Amino acid sequence: MLESVFKLLGDYGNVLPRYTGPRCLSERLSVGGCDLCQQACPHVAIIIFQSVTISPDACTGCGLCTQACPSGALEYDVTAPLSAVREQKSQAKGAKIVCSKAEEGGRSVPCLGRLSASTVMAAGAWDTPLTLVHGDCAACELGGPGVPASVQGVIETAQRLRAPTGRPAQVTLRPHDPAQESGAERVSRRGVFGAMARGAGRVAAQAIPESPLPFIDWSVPADHVPAEWRWRVRALRPAPAPDAAIFWPAPVVDDTCIDCPVCENVCPTEALTREVQPDGGVTLTLSLESCTGCQACARSCPPQAIQMQEHWRRDALEVPILLRDSGNILQ
């Protein structure tokens, strides 16, 4: 009942994630397409037919599709949970983010399925212990039983990214502890509505505020890269040594490349740039910080000349990488 009150008041923020079509591997016509968001959705709210359509009636806003999306085509605002962690830095026990079903103190999100690796990485960068609390996911109508495993995957990704900093995030994922309920009261039927109002006010005060995400203007190159990946770069603190190996899966090209434009065409963030030189040669350049590791290029390459390299030097994030220079192909 309480959740219904929140939804009516809008305290849950934006239910549907933002969809950016040019980042979707289906719209990009990547070989094999992608249906990871559809597989992750516990409510059959996602339909894929050349692009992604989300049913507003079926979607609960759990966020599991955004955790599964390899290219950032589906996303929620990442700055809100980042700010929530930063605001709790000074607390003795660190930061706590709880799902809407866990009646504990801490900043609240509708479902932990909305959290991303950059939030965990930032907690590590700020040396702030982070506790993530979920409710009874098996009985939850928002995200369902798959939430803890999905969040654990997010944590593992964040820790792999943080490894070269030498300071892993101090993060704990646990179920709700009834002993830590905040403001639990026993009320009579006469006082139930008063208790609901007080509870709604308390949770509203703890809720992480969200702002509507505007549609992406694809004419702005800076917006091609999802905010999640931009924050992952920023959260690599303390800065690893320039020659440190960082986990950042991205493509490399071998000599079987035929210099076709397929990889550039399917890249959802335009991290790959193909240029034909005046002498007829072709160069292929990678912006590592723009690459989400979606593997669309590797799957779509006609001669299968692209493989994914998992680790790169830290300084590779700072300058474009020349993947291929074919020379003068007209001679």
Side-chain angles (χ1 to χ4, degrees), residues 251 263 266 272 294-302 304-308:
C263 58
V266 300
L272 291 170
C294 69
Q295 302 187 49
C297 55
R299 291 200 302 265
S300 302
C301 178
Q304 297 296 290
I306 296 178
Q307 295 79 40
M308 301 299 290

Side-chain angles (χ1 to χ4, degrees), residues 6-259:
F6 293 155
K7 288 178 182 178
L8 289 172
L9 296 175
D11 291 335
Y12 272 122
N14 310 299
V15 173
L16 298 182
R18 177 174 66 182
Y19 173 63
T20 303
R23 289 195 199 132
C24 179
L25 303 194
S26 291
E27 287 202 21
R28 282 283 182 175
L29 301 180
S30 169
V31 170
C34 178
D35 64 351
L36 293 178
C37 59
Q38 192 175 56
Q39 291 182 40
C41 179
H43 304 294
V44 198
I46 295 177
I47 300 171
I48 302 177
F49 182 72
Q50 296 183 336
S51 65
V52 170
T53 301
I54 304 176
S55 167
D57 295 326
C59 178
T60 63
C62 67
L64 288 174
C65 59
T66 65
Q67 290 183 346
C69 180
S71 62
L74 292 169
E75 59 187 332
Y76 282 107
D77 179 20
V78 299
T79 60
L82 285 166
S83 298
V85 172
R86 190 164 192 170
E87 290 168 3
Q88 299 178 80
K89 283 175 56 179
S90 60
Q91 296 187 13
K93 295 184 179 180
K96 182 193 284 188
I97 296 180
V98 303
C99 82
S100 59
K101 299 292 187 178
E103 297 180 4
E104 293 187 24
R107 304 304 298 276
S108 174
V109 290
C111 177
L112 293 187
R114 291 198 182 195
L115 295 185
S116 61
S118 63
T119 299
V120 179
M121 291 182 66
W126 295 323
D127 202 18
T128 301
L130 175 62
T131 301
L132 305 175
V133 183
H134 62 83
D136 182 5
C137 296
C140 180
E141 72 278 8
L142 292 180
V147 170
S150 183
V151 177
Q152 185 60 44
V154 167
I155 294 171
E156 291 171 1
T157 295
Q159 296 291 35
R160 293 187 72 179
L161 288 162
R162 285 206 57 77
T165 70
R167 195 169 74 192
Q170 305 170 61
V171 57
T172 301
L173 173 64
R174 65 168 174 82
H176 163 60
D177 180 0
Q180 299 194 42
E181 289 184 7
S182 60
E185 301 179 52
R186 299 176 76 79
V187 296
S188 65
R189 291 184 62 184
R190 180 178 297 178
V192 68
F193 289 106
M196 285 179 59
R198 289 192 297 274
R202 180 172 62 250
V203 175
Q206 295 174 349
I208 296 176
E210 292 184 276
S211 299
L213 288 174
F215 286 105
I216 292 294
D217 181 353
W218 204 248
S219 67
V220 181
D223 287 342
H224 294 181
V225 183
E228 166 64 17
W229 274 264
R230 296 199 299 269
W231 275 103
R232 288 185 184 189
V233 175
R234 296 174 187 173
L236 278 173
R237 299 288 184 274
D243 60 349
I246 63 167
F247 174 70
W248 201 283
V252 291
V253 182
D254 64 32
D255 290 337
T256 63
C257 174
I258 58 175
D259 298 311

